[in-house]
């Protein structure tokens, strides 16, 4: 049984590492964005409540988000554990999760410098036509600006524009980073420094989890 939280700035590689751990540990990744969309699509009571807020252009309140997570964690595939990605984002959410009786074995905090994240996200490009992802340094297309797969035009997502990344990092440092101290106090925080390669970072995570 392994209940995990992935913490880290936007672009730190949480989603990528969660997908690898998925395979290695055989537990699902619960991504808040995905389950929120699924709950809305399936028309669950909490999903309908969330939709009401979103339709009015408001943020979905913590108790609704925690309700949706709780619904998802009751499903069969979570009985051997899960990886939570994208929540909690604030101390308030963390406290609400505790109150809901959801417990964790470990919190993995991926540490990547702001400079590195600006570089990573600044270099991301996606194909306008088929959605394939590239990176100017790590995974460049064969022809600059052109998708290898379909010949479509490669563009930078608005999310990855430098000023947007900077503002998302500021929000992370202000609202989400304090969670490290919160979980350190509970004795379940494991800080994993960014390694030279993706595989090295995965190995480090498995090591702190005692799974290597």
């Amino acid at each position: 049984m392994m209940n995990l939280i992935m913490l880290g700035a936007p672009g730190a590689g949480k989603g990528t590492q969660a997908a690898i751990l998925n395979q290695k540990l055989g537990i699902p990744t619960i991504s808040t964005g995905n389950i929120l969309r699924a709950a809305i699509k399936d028309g669950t009571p909490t999903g309908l409540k969330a939709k009401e807020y979103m339709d009015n252009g408001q943020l979905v309140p913590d108790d609704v988000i925690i309700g949706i997570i709780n619904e998802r964690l009751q499903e069969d595939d979570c009985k051997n554990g899960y990886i939570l990605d994208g929540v909690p984002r604030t101390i308030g959410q963390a406290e609400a999760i505790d109150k809901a009786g959801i417990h964790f074995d470990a919190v993995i905090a991926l540490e990547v410098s702001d400079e590195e994240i600006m570089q990573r996200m600044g270099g991301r490009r996606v194909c306008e036509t088929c959605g394939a992802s590239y990176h100017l340094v790590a995974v460049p297309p064969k022809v600059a600006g052109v998708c290898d797969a379909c010949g479509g035009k490669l563009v930078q997502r608005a999310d990855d524009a430098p000023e947007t990344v900077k503002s998302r990092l500021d929000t992370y440092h202000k609202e989400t980073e304090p969670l490290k101290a919160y979980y350190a106090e509970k004795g379940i925080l494991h800080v994993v420094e960014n390694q030279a390669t993706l595989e090295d970072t995965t190995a480090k995570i498995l090591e702190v989890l005692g799974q290597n």
Side-chain angles (χ1 to χ4, degrees):
M1 181 81 172
M2 178 84 66
N3 300 346
L4 306 176
I5 294 177
M6 294 295 273
L7 276 186
K14 298 185 297 296
T16 307
Q17 290 297 340
I20 298 170
L21 292 174
N22 246 173
Q23 302 296 317
K24 292 194 181 287
L25 303 175
I27 54 178
T29 297
I30 310 299
S31 149
T32 331
N34 292 352
I35 58 172
L36 197 53
R37 282 189 287 276
I40 290 168
K41 189 165 141 287
D42 298 343
T44 71
T46 338
L48 291 172
K49 213 183 283 182
K51 186 177 186 309
E52 220 171 279
Y53 286 100
M54 287 160 82
D55 286 348
N56 292 325
Q58 295 170 297
L59 281 177
V60 181
D62 289 349
D63 59 334
V64 177
I65 288 183
I66 307 308
I68 286 176
I69 288 168
N70 223 342
E71 273 174 13
R72 178 66 185 85
L73 298 184
Q74 304 313 314
E75 290 179 28
D76 259 8
D77 62 342
C78 290
K79 60 176 188 289
N80 295 321
Y82 48 81
I83 303 162
L84 213 49
D85 173 20
V87 141
R89 280 179 195 271
T90 60
I91 298 283
Q93 284 183 352
E95 290 170 345
I97 285 173
D98 286 348
K99 271 204 194 80
I102 302 169
H103 299 296
F104 301 98
D105 301 300
V107 176
I108 303 291
L110 295 179
E111 289 294 307
V112 183
S113 72
D114 285 7
E115 294 73 33
E116 163 96 3
I117 283 174
M118 295 292 286
Q119 261 178 346
R120 274 186 195 183
M121 293 176 83
R124 292 206 295 207
R125 296 291 182 273
V126 291
C127 173
E128 258 184 344
T129 315
C130 74
S133 293
Y134 296 89
H135 192 281
L136 299 183
V137 182
V139 194
K142 292 190 178 74
V143 179
V146 180
C147 175
D148 294 352
C150 77
K153 182 177 166 210
L154 298 184
V155 293
Q156 185 175 50
R157 292 187 330 182
D159 257 10
D160 293 337
E163 56 283 4
T164 314
V165 175
K166 182 154 186 355
S167 123
R168 288 171 70 198
L169 283 170
D170 290 346
T171 305
Y172 167 76
H173 292 308
K174 194 164 83 226
E175 294 185 356
T176 308
E177 203 153 24
L179 286 168
K180 292 200 301 211
Y182 181 85
Y183 287 115
E185 255 179 52
K186 295 178 179 293
I188 56 174
L189 181 79
H190 301 279
V191 174
V192 173
E193 298 288 342
N194 187 36
Q195 305 295 308
T197 68
L198 202 68
E199 293 74 21
D200 289 349
T201 303
T202 306
K204 205 81 185 142
I205 293 172
L206 291 170
E207 186 185 311
V208 302
L209 292 176
Q211 295 289 317
N212 53 346

